[in-house]
Each structure stands twice: as structure tokens, then as C-alpha cells.
Amino acid sequence: MGTTNAGLLKWLKECEQLLTPDRVVWMDGSEEQLEKIRAEAVKTREMIRLNPEKLPSCYLHRTRPNDVARVEGRTFICSRREEDAGPTNHWCDPKEMYARLYDIARGSYKGRTMYIIPYSMGPIDSPLAKFGVEVTDSKYVVLNMAIMTRTGQAVLDKLGDSDDWVRGLHASCDIDPEKRYICQFPEDNTIISVNSAYGGNVLLGKKCFALRIASYQGWKEGWMAEHMLILGLENPKGEVRYLAAAFPSACGKTNLAMLIPPKYFRDQGYKVWTVGDDIAWMRIGPDGKLYAINPENGFFGVAPGTNEHSNPNALATTKSGSIFTNVAYNPKDGTVWWEGLTKEIPDELIDWKGNPWKSSQFVKSDKSTCAANPNSRFTAPAKNCPCISPTFEKGVAVPISALVFGGRRAKCAPLVYQSRDWVHGVFVGSIMASETTAAASGAVGVVRRDPMAMLPFCGYHMGDYFQHWLDMGKKLGDKAPKIFNVNWFRTDEDGNFLWPGFGDNMRVLNWILDRCDGKADAVETPIGYLPRPEDIDTTDLDVPPEVMKELLTVDKEIWRGETREIEEHYKKFGDKLPKELRQQLDELEARLA
Ligand code: GTP
Ligand code: SPV
Ligand code: MN
């Protein structure tokens, strides 16, 4: 294991002096080394080995009950100037924050091992790949990073002496929520995370690098890092068209990315190919079109609700080589369980906190009685996925025909609509709103504006980010993807979903892609182009015509209220709000008047 990269070696020396580990281990990318660490983690009880016949090479891990989700209130963008972080990010002066973090982390690896993980976001040999090195004292992080990214010596070989890599320092410390910080220093290519050992807070290649740091890099370098799934939809002629879709956390990206078309479509030869389920890096290709790669190598997916009917592909993906975090354990057969996995609830389990749990204690209205944490997750290798796109392993970027925004809205947003043009599409993304979920700590079910699903992940001023979107549109010109908005979550008066969702979302994707080809009809409304009920193929679909009509209705009164909220939302950005977007809002108000 080795490198001659002087900048990297110097930084590692500094980490070692600060953290004072008992030993240092370089992750070389070999299966033997990972197997050794898995065995150690089982011995120290950091992991439970699951039934090797039913779930080969699968493990269960429990985090502290105070450490089960991203912590947006303790996530900082430490740019030199406060105004560069913008109104939607927490900010702290980098000098001050480095000092605070070094104080917290100092000496914290005592009695522990310092693992050095060289990793690549994107296939190592791809011209679109970017590299990072994460230092951690957590075996859970090491084993998760080995699934979520490409790791090991090959990364160092490819990096050579370049200084184009991201420093990532993670220290578990005491998992003290009062001293928990997730900090990005975009101008220094540096991430520091302390006092957490959960998912998005500590797998630094994911949200911290591939979105917060990468969005900043993309802004400076003319490309885009987005919180988007990527999928290919193959039609009966064998043509595959790709789209990328941004939904906030726990709003359906993994499920849509792995969609299985309804039987009626399957029989005709339709098929969905998964390219990515969470993050898209997109660049303009030599032909002037927008191309995307998924920089990750695995899925860190929401467990609850995943089952053989809702998402059989995701379930199949977790059947080997996976790590489950904060799900329930079934001691009878050494497997795992979560709410919604099976209709029948096992009588007795060990809940996600490690306590005995009886099905009789479950109260539907009280999430705290669940056996699995609502934000429990699986980490599964992308190569396990039955519908992984052939483009994924080849590492080739895919041309994007459509960009889709969406969120959880009980009312207001219709099932689907198309923006009038790119600028209007950017407006549609900038006004996105969604009910909050368990993926971040805090209240659940509150509507908040989450532009482009990037509110927690944009590494710079959101006004500049909007402008970057507008600039990309100018560069793309008439080759720009068409922009749409979807909402699978409209409800009736009793709170029941009006749209069946999941596999049936394919009917909407078909309309979207047909629109891109100029093959489907639509009507103009104040908010954009909507399909008429008959423009969506509803063969074999059990949705009454009046519900289809309701799903595709634009209520002007509700939308007038919405524009008043957008006024408030836009005020936050001050002079940094691009004039084109302000004008879009004025035009929408005029159309609704
Ligand atoms: P992150 O990994 O947090 O970024 O989440 P995600 O956007 O990948 O969300 P995911 O696909 O894991 O779905 C989250 C929740 O939404 C699960 O409980 C799903 O069951 C539910 N869900 C997904 N798609 C649909 C849908 O079409 N309709 C309905 N009603 N629920 C859905
Ligand atoms: C999300 O919250 O959007 C996730 C999970 O994908 S985490 O990696 O924790 O951010
Ligand atoms: Mn996500």
C-alpha cells in the first residue's frame, strides 16, 4: 500500500498527530482485508452477522438512539465569506470552525485504529470520477464506504501526485449530540465530521462530497451535482431513454429508480434500468447534450416500506453483501425485519435499539413503537441490483432527455406537469416544496420549500445555484432536457393516497418521455402543460376516472395561496435571486389572476 502524493502524506501525518490513534490501517480495496474487519466488528459487537444461508455476508448495525439521521441544524458550509454560504446554510468562519473541530477531535482516536480510505466517486477510470480520502475510527464507516464507493490502492495509483482530491476527516468521539458537527469547507476541498456514526453524516463520499463539495465544484467548473436518481426506460423497440429526478430525502428516488412496470407494459417489452438512486453528476457532452453518471457504487436506501411488491428489485439487491442499519433483528432465524417488509408481523423481535419487542406493543399511530427505526436503512452493492443499467459498470455517462422534480404534497401539485421552457423549469425546481420526513432529525410532515431537493445539500449560495441552473440552460440551448414536476402523494380528505404510485408511476414516465419526443398531448394551464386524463395510459389501472381528473386538476385558489408563499420564500435570496425567476413568479401570478 503506498503513495508518493506529498500533499496527501502531509495531511495524513497531521491527522495522526491530532488524533493519536494506536494504529493506522490503509484500506487497500482487497476482500481479505474487509473480511478481517468484518470479523473484528462482529467480535467487538459493532456488527451482528446475519444468517449466512438466507443473507450471505450481511450484517446488522445499530447506532445510538440519538444518532439516527442527518442533522441539518449542525451541518455547516464554512466558506471564507458568510454571504457565499447564503441564507439557506448554517455558516461559521473556517478558522474558528477548524479550531473548534480540532479541539473536539484531538486525541479522540486513543485506543482506536485510524483507517485511511482512498475512494473514488465514479468509476476509477472514468474522466468524470473524482477522488477523496476519508480518515475514520469506525469499522462501520469503513465497511459502508467499501460498498458505496470504489476504494483502495487503485484510487491512489490513479490519483498520483495530483492535489485534486477531497480531504475527509471523521471522528466518532463520544457521539455527543451537543458536540456533533458536519462541516464542509468548499474552498479547501475539506470535510470534517465529529460525534456522529450515522449514514449521511459520516459516509463522507455521499452527501458531504458528492453533493455539498461537488455542487460548489460544479458551479466553478461548469457542471452539475444534483440530488437525483437516474433511470433508463426501454421501450418495446429496444430504445432506452434516460431521465434524472430530484425528490427530497425519503420521497421515492430509490423506488422510482428500480421501478418494475405494470404487467400490461412488461408484456409489451417495457423495462426500467437503474443507473443511480440518489446522486447525479451531469456535464454537457461533445454533442452539446446533458450527460449524467451516478458517482456512487451502492445504495443507502430506506428500509421501511420496502417489500416484494413495492420494490422487489431493492429487496433482491439487499440479499447478500449488505449492511442493515437500525432495522429489527429476528433472533429465531438470524434475519432482519422492518415495518412493511411482510404483511404478517413476527410476534417477537429485537427492536432497533436492541431491546426485546412484541408485536402486541405496536400502535399504528405511534412511530416510537416500531420495531425498526423509521429512517432505518440498507447499504447494498449496486452490482446486486437485478435491473442495474449496463451503462453503470461500463462507467459511461447517459444522455438525459428529461429532468423531473417532485415532492410530497397532499394538495396543490398535480400528478404531473411540464414546464413551459428551461427557465420556467428552473422556476418550478426553485419553488419545490415537500413534507419533511424521518431522513433528517426534526419534525416530520411539515411542508417546507426544498429547491431542487438540494436545500440540505447545496454547498454555496442558493441564489448563485439558481443562476448556475439558468446558465447551464443557456449553454444547452435547444438540446436542453425538458423539465417536469411530479407528485405521487396527493391525498383525499381522509389522508389516503389518490395515486397508487410505485410501478404505476411508469405510466407518468411514459407520458413524460413521449412529450420529449413530441408524441403526447397536453393542455396549457397557468402552471404549465398537463396531460388530460386520456393522455395517461391507464389500462388495467384501478383508479376511477373522477380520481384521475382530480389528480390532474390545478386549483387556482390553492395556487394563488402558493404564490404568496413563494413571494416569502424568494425574499430570502435578496439581490441574489435571478431576475428571470422573479419574472416567472410575476407571470404565474398574472396567469392565475
Ligand atoms: P433517500 O434515500 O432519503 O434520499 O430517499 P428516497 O428519495 O430514495 O426515497 P425512497 O424511494 O426510499 O422512498 C421513501 C418512502 O416513500 C418509502 O417509505 C416508500 O415506500 C415511499 N414511496 C416511494 N415511492 C412511492 C410512491 O410512488 N407512492 C407512495 N405513496 N409512496 C412511495
Ligand atoms: C438522504 O437523506 O437523502 C439520504 C440518506 O440519502 S443520507 O445518506 O443519510 O443522507
Ligand atoms: Mn438522498
Side-chain angles (χ1 to χ4, degrees):
M1 193 81 198
T3 176
T4 56
N5 189 310
L8 171 55
L9 291 169
K10 177 168 175 281
W11 177 71
L12 290 171
K13 191 94 249 152
E14 287 163 10
C15 288
E16 203 179 325
Q17 280 164 0
L18 174 78
L19 302 160
T20 64
D22 282 13
R23 45 173 207 147
V24 176
V25 172
W26 286 77
M27 296 309 300
D28 60 19
S30 72
E31 187 50 37
E32 299 77 62
Q33 192 187 27
L34 290 171
E35 197 51 35
K36 227 175 96 194
I37 291 174
R38 289 182 197 118
E40 281 170 28
V42 169
K43 221 162 125 194
T44 59
R45 299 165 147 250
E46 284 165 85
M47 300 264 185
I48 295 171
R49 191 191 299 275
L50 298 170
N51 185 324
E53 263 133 52
K54 293 189 168 167
L55 295 167
S57 205
C58 288
Y59 295 81
L60 166 65
H61 174 76
R62 300 186 186 114
T63 66
R64 302 270 179 90
N66 72 27
D67 188 30
V68 298
R70 285 183 293 100
V71 278
E72 295 177 4
R74 308 199 64 94
T75 299
F76 287 77
I77 299 298
C78 304
S79 44
R80 257 162 254 144
R81 301 187 319 166
E82 182 170 9
E83 67 221 69
D84 292 339
T88 57
N89 284 310
H90 297 288
W91 175 86
C92 179
D93 176 72
K95 272 207 201 90
E96 193 185 321
M97 190 54 102
Y98 277 126
R100 188 186 306 172
L101 296 170
Y102 290 157
D103 276 347
I104 292 171
R106 188 167 292 115
S108 72
Y109 280 23
K110 200 148 198 48
R112 300 181 187 183
T113 301
M114 169 167 141
Y115 297 97
I116 301 168
I117 315 169
Y119 66 92
S120 173
M121 299 313 291
I124 296 177
D125 291 318
S126 162
L128 301 186
K130 287 195 169 264
F131 302 144
V133 177
E134 177 165 357
V135 161
T136 182
D137 56 350
S138 157
K139 295 183 193 64
Y140 171 75
V141 169
V142 169
L143 297 173
N144 273 278
M145 285 293 283
I147 298 173
M148 294 305 294
T149 72
R150 286 95 171 161
T151 63
Q153 179 64 42
V155 176
L156 294 177
D157 293 344
K158 187 81 194 201
L159 176 66
D161 292 322
S162 161
D163 62 2
D164 186 7
W165 58 280
V166 172
R167 292 150 196 73
L169 167 55
H170 166 244
S172 306
C173 302
D174 308 316
I175 319 289
D176 178 352
E178 303 298 322
K179 291 188 188 151
R180 186 169 297 156
Y181 290 99
I182 318 300
C183 298
Q184 285 65 208
F185 302 83
E187 289 137 343
D188 304 344
N189 270 352
T190 298
I191 305 158
I192 303 181
S193 164
V194 294
N195 275 298
S196 173
Y198 178 82
N201 296 332
V202 297
L203 308 179
L204 301 185
K206 194 172 177 58
K207 295 307 176 27
C208 302
F209 177 176
L211 287 179
R212 296 195 190 101
I213 299 281
S215 63
Y216 173 83
Q217 294 176 332
W219 175 43
K220 295 286 167 182
E221 298 165 9
W223 54 282
M224 305 166 94
E226 299 294 334
H227 191 200
M228 289 180 172
L229 69 94
I230 310 163
L231 68 77
L233 181 59
E234 182 173 335
N235 68 18
K237 285 189 236 154
E239 302 159 339
V240 186
R241 287 167 302 168
Y242 297 89
L243 61 80
F247 309 154
S249 301
C251 289
K253 288 183 299 301
T254 303
N255 277 275
L256 192 68
M258 298 181 187
L259 175 156
I260 294 182
K263 184 169 183 310
Y264 164 74
F265 288 94
R266 265 193 334 261
D267 289 349
Q268 293 173 58
Y270 282 98
K271 191 168 178 3
V272 165
W273 297 101
T274 309
V275 181
D277 82 324
D278 199 50
I279 298 174
W281 283 1
M282 300 188 286
R283 281 176 193 267
I284 300 176
D287 61 359
K289 291 188 193 155
L290 191 63
Y291 283 80
I293 63 159
N294 166 16
E296 302 191 279
N297 201 25
F299 308 116
F300 186 61
V302 177
T306 306
N307 62 51
E308 241 158 71
H309 304 286
S310 66
N311 194 347
N313 284 324
L315 201 60
T317 306
T318 65
K319 290 297 181 192
S320 67
S322 297
I323 298 171
F324 297 90
T325 303
N326 293 338
V327 300
Y329 180 64
N330 191 337
K332 277 204 195 98
D333 62 355
T335 61
V336 286
W337 193 83
W338 51 77
E339 277 66 24
L341 174 62
T342 51
K343 263 213 187 96
E344 229 169 273
I345 303 175
D347 296 336
E348 291 186 11
L349 294 166
I350 306 295
D351 73 10
W352 67 275
K353 292 181 183 165
N355 299 320
W357 181 94
K358 283 196 169 59
S359 56
S360 55
Q361 74 193 66
F362 175 69
V363 182
K364 201 173 172 201
S365 58
D366 182 0
K367 284 267 181 215
S368 73
T369 63
C370 286
N373 184 279
N375 191 37
S376 54
R377 301 244 168 191
F378 53 80
T379 317
K383 65 170 173 359
N384 282 5
C385 180
C387 54
I388 194 73
S389 166
T391 66
F392 175 80
E393 263 312 314
K394 286 194 208 127
V396 296
V398 297
I400 298 296
S401 300
L403 293 170
V404 182
F405 297 119
R408 279 177 194 266
R409 293 303 297 272
K411 296 276 167 303
C412 199
L415 179 62
V416 59
Y417 66 101
Q418 181 183 2
S419 67
R420 301 162 70 88
D421 54 29
W422 180 274
V423 177
H424 179 236
V426 176
F427 170 75
V428 168
S430 77
I431 64 166
M432 252 174 78
S434 191
E435 291 148 24
T436 52
T437 65
S441 58
V444 168
V446 183
V447 174
R448 72 165 182 184
R449 297 283 149 195
D450 185 350
M452 284 83 170
M454 282 290 278
L455 182 68
F457 308 119
C458 184
Y460 59 106
H461 195 298
M462 184 87 53
D464 289 327
Y465 171 77
F466 294 155
Q467 186 60 52
H468 181 43
W469 265 85
L470 294 170
D471 294 343
M472 289 298 290
K474 280 186 203 117
K475 283 191 210 155
L476 286 159
D478 59 7
K479 295 192 172 130
K482 304 278 185 277
I483 302 181
F484 298 80
N485 193 87
V486 298
N487 177 21
W488 316 138
F489 300 95
R490 279 276 277 255
T491 55
D492 63 17
E493 297 316 314
D494 302 324
N496 303 306
F497 292 120
L498 290 174
W499 176 249
F502 300 97
D504 286 312
N505 292 335
M506 139 100 205
R507 301 170 191 272
V508 174
L509 300 187
N510 234 11
W511 180 78
I512 287 175
L513 290 167
D514 281 350
R515 282 295 291 174
C516 295
D517 285 353
K519 287 197 302 213
D521 269 337
V523 284
E524 196 178 340
T525 77
I527 66 166
Y529 300 105
L530 258 77
R532 298 161 303 172
E534 62 266 35
D535 295 323
I536 304 257
D537 191 334
T538 52
T539 311
D540 292 347
L541 183 70
D542 192 17
V543 175
E546 65 276 13
V547 172
M548 275 314 289
K549 199 162 160 254
E550 160 74 18
L551 282 163
L552 295 170
T553 305
V554 177
D555 184 321
K556 280 196 185 178
E557 196 44 54
I558 291 180
W559 272 92
R560 279 194 282 266
E562 187 78 357
T563 57
R564 287 190 286 274
E565 280 179 33
I566 299 166
E567 292 275 358
E568 287 308 305
H569 165 60
Y570 268 5
K571 275 186 193 151
K572 275 204 286 287
F573 307 108
D575 313 338
K576 287 268 196 181
L577 182 76
K579 286 193 186 57
E580 289 96 323
L581 296 187
R582 174 70 246 181
Q583 193 186 332
Q584 286 292 331
L585 178 54
D586 294 341
E587 287 174 15
L588 174 61
E589 282 167 351
R591 289 195 300 267
L592 287 165

